[in-house]
């Protein structure tokens, strides 16, 4: 069962400039950064708020590290902007299988590693009214972060 909006992914050409825009304009601070070699992106997660299920909601800013990455190709075609929406779930495997059973194309056979050691999969935008949709199960947080 989907429990929250985990994040909104925004593709950008220059991560540092885009982070500074969100910091200066809205006061959002970077919660986490990483490079995901498999997906070919450098990213920053800007925490917006905590949620009632113990998770959080974020803006995920994505800069491609190579032109042939999915985000790189998307930027070349569409320019900067909203790339995807991600919904949080306690069971990415089960929810992916449930939507697959409803005829929605799930892009990965098995969930992959996402930001902050989460487990993710994507749903085909043509099956989701033009919206690339991600399902996310957050990694367990250390007791100190609860």
């Amino acid at each position: 069962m989907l429990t929250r909006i985990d994040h909104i992914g925004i593709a950008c050409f220059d991560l540092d400039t885009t982070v500074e825009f969100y910091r200066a304009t809205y006061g959002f601070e970077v919660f986490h950064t990483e490079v995901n070699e498999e997906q070919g992106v450098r990213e920053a997660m800007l925490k917006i708020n905590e949620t009632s299920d113990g998770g959080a909601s974020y803006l995920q800013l994505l800069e491609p590290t190579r032109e042939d990455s999915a985000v790189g190709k998307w930027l070349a075609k569409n320019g900067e902007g909203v790339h995807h929406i991600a919904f949080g779930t306690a069971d990415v495997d089960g929810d992916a299988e449930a939507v697959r059973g409803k005829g929605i194309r799930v892009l990965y056979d098995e969930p992959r590693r996402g930001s902050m050691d989460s487990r993710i999969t994507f749903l085909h935008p043509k099956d989701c009214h033009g919206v690339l949709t991600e399902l996310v199960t957050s990694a367990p947080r250390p007791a100190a972060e609860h």
Side-chain angles (χ1 to χ4, degrees):
M1 180 174 113
L2 305 180
T3 58
R4 63 190 155 82
I5 295 175
D6 184 87
H7 65 271
I8 308 251
I10 299 172
C12 61
F13 291 111
D14 183 318
L15 185 66
D16 297 326
T17 299
T18 307
V19 163
E20 180 54 25
F21 168 81
Y22 281 97
R23 190 203 59 72
T25 306
Y26 305 114
F28 298 152
E29 296 295 336
V30 173
F31 179 77
H32 176 81
T33 60
E34 70 180 82
V35 174
N36 186 320
E37 295 294 344
E38 179 184 5
Q39 293 183 22
V41 294
R42 190 177 135 212
E43 65 179 80
M45 296 293 271
L46 285 62
K47 187 185 230 178
I48 307 305
N49 67 319
E50 300 289 331
T51 60
S52 62
D53 68 355
S57 293
Y58 303 91
L59 285 181
Q60 178 187 45
L61 306 179
L62 300 159
E63 175 190 62
T65 58
R66 55 181 198 272
E67 291 179 11
D68 69 339
S69 70
V71 172
K73 291 176 187 176
W74 190 90
L75 266 172
K77 181 179 177 183
N78 300 293
E80 293 184 306
V82 175
H83 179 261
H84 67 274
I85 186 167
F87 295 108
T89 172
D91 182 10
V92 70
D93 298 273
D95 284 340
E97 198 55 40
V99 296
R100 183 180 279 122
K102 295 176 182 180
I104 307 296
R105 287 175 281 180
V106 178
L107 299 184
Y108 304 152
D109 290 332
E110 295 291 326
R112 297 181 182 179
R113 182 197 168 281
S115 301
M116 300 184 290
D117 291 323
S118 61
R119 296 185 70 242
I120 66 165
T121 196
F122 286 91
L123 310 179
H124 200 292
K126 289 184 179 177
D127 297 343
C128 298
H129 297 271
V131 178
L132 179 60
T133 303
E134 182 179 3
L135 303 180
V136 179
T137 296
S138 299
R141 296 186 321 183
E145 291 186 21
H146 287 286

